[in-house]
Amino acid sequence: MLRLGRRAVGEDLLIMAIVNRTPDSFYDRGATFAREEALRRVDEVVAEGADIVDIGGVKAAPGSDVDAREEIDRTASFVAEVRERYPDLIISVDTWRGEVGREACRAGADLLNDAWGGADLELAEVAAEFGAGLVCTHAGGLPPRTRPHRIEYDDVMADVIAGTTALARRAVSVGVDPERILIDPGHDFGKNTWHSLEVTRRLEEMVATGWPVLVSLSNKDFVGESLGLPVDERVVGTLAVTAVCAWQGARVFRAHNVAPTRQVLDMVAVTRGVREPVRTVRGLA
């Protein structure tokens, strides 16, 4: 069983919608940096079927320095507004810093999305303190906001599994509810395109660990390099790898484009036989 916020999740496939409170995010170029635009975006993704909203205050790529105080200013008060607006929505905060996670949880966050693989181990303690969930991600041991350069693995999926499950076990050891932990292979984080494609092909091995798997695929460079497309033309490629990961058993999908992702996940669920078709009159009526 996976529990996030007030929700106990069975076989449902969940969408984690991305709302960046940053002026320089790689995909939307700061479109939701302003509070009003960010709130409008939250309303939009909830209407489109998002189960989780992931709020970030620092872009993942290198760029201008954002200290912890500024990250808190961008995220914590916004979390409080979203919580007041949507009492039952699962709210996630994308941060690697324990102090940011603490203020986010005080404001009402349910989940801490640690995309940098335990760079600040205090984040797990914060999740335990507040009864929040935790995403344990493989980032190849790189410091936050660092691009990989000629990184190598003897077996990338073995490294992903060893790293994420070790973080998950440590989280349990400091008091995080094991039903509130997810593991993420970290596509593009500490990986080149070949690595990201391999972990996509072999995602069943990660699912077999028993920990619920989250994937963050949306418009990433491995999609762009695979198809030779710029960031604003990667939606179809993203949806293709979304279907591949859903078929192999991933549970949560971090996405910019919520409505088409919802259709893909629902179609995979119907095909797998865990969801009924909406209408079945062909050949019967």
Side-chain angles (χ1 to χ4, degrees):
M1 180 63 68
L2 173 62
R3 299 182 186 276
L4 297 173
R6 302 177 184 180
R7 185 168 173 181
V9 182
E11 295 183 323
D12 293 345
L13 303 181
L14 306 184
I15 297 176
M16 172 188 273
I18 301 164
V19 179
N20 286 319
R21 298 297 318 283
T22 59
D24 52 359
S25 49
F26 90 99
Y27 182 67
D28 61 31
R29 308 299 183 190
T32 55
F33 181 47
R35 171 189 162 277
E36 295 79 8
E37 289 304 311
L39 283 173
R40 184 198 61 77
R41 179 60 178 158
V42 171
D43 292 340
E44 182 179 64
V45 298
V46 169
E48 290 177 344
D51 305 282
I52 307 165
V53 168
D54 190 43
I55 299 164
V58 184
K59 76 170 184 176
S64 59
D65 182 58
V66 180
D67 63 19
R69 185 68 260 168
E70 176 64 20
E71 188 181 357
I72 290 167
D73 288 345
R74 292 178 179 184
T75 56
S77 62
F78 187 70
V79 167
E81 286 191 83
V82 175
R83 173 55 67 222
E84 183 175 2
R85 204 177 188 100
Y86 295 101
D88 297 322
L89 179 67
I90 303 166
I91 300 175
S92 170
V93 171
D94 179 356
T95 186
W96 74 87
R97 292 172 167 141
E99 59 191 302
V100 176
R102 177 168 282 106
E103 294 305 316
C105 287
R106 283 177 177 155
D110 303 298
L111 179 64
L112 298 175
N113 181 14
D114 179 12
W116 287 104
D120 182 354
L121 293 176
E122 183 188 1
L123 203 62
E125 279 86 348
V126 172
E129 177 184 348
F130 287 90
L134 182 68
V135 180
C136 300
T137 307
H138 180 271
L142 295 183
R145 307 189 70 189
T146 303
R147 293 189 187 277
H149 179 67
R150 296 184 178 177
I151 195 164
E152 295 182 0
Y153 300 95
D154 291 334
D155 182 329
V156 63
M157 183 51 90
D159 202 273
V160 165
I161 290 172
T164 56
T165 58
L167 287 169
R169 289 192 301 271
R170 182 189 176 276
V172 172
S173 76
V174 300
V176 181
D177 182 350
E179 294 187 343
R180 297 183 183 275
I181 295 173
L182 301 105
I183 59 175
D184 177 356
H187 286 80
D188 279 2
F189 281 58
K191 299 170 188 68
N192 60 32
T193 289
W194 295 112
H195 295 141
S196 292
L197 291 169
E198 183 168 352
V199 298
T200 302
R201 286 193 298 272
R202 297 173 59 188
L203 199 75
E204 281 180 321
E205 295 172 41
M206 203 170 180
V207 171
T209 67
W211 295 103
V213 173
L214 178 151
V215 288
S216 184
L217 309 164
S218 193
N219 301 297
K220 285 199 166 179
D221 284 349
F222 85 97
V223 175
E225 290 192 354
S226 295
L227 300 176
L229 294 173
V231 68
D232 58 348
E233 297 179 21
R234 299 174 183 175
V235 175
V236 174
T238 296
L239 296 175
V241 289
T242 294
V244 171
C245 290
W247 187 262
Q248 293 183 81
R251 302 283 298 281
V252 180
F253 300 79
R254 188 173 182 269
H256 295 97
N257 307 95
V258 172
T261 302
R262 181 78 275 160
Q263 288 189 34
V264 167
L265 297 181
D266 287 351
M267 192 67 217
V268 170
V270 171
T271 305
R272 288 179 65 109
V274 297
R275 177 186 172 96
E276 292 295 318
V278 172
R279 183 171 180 260
T280 52
V281 298
R282 179 176 172 79
L284 301 174

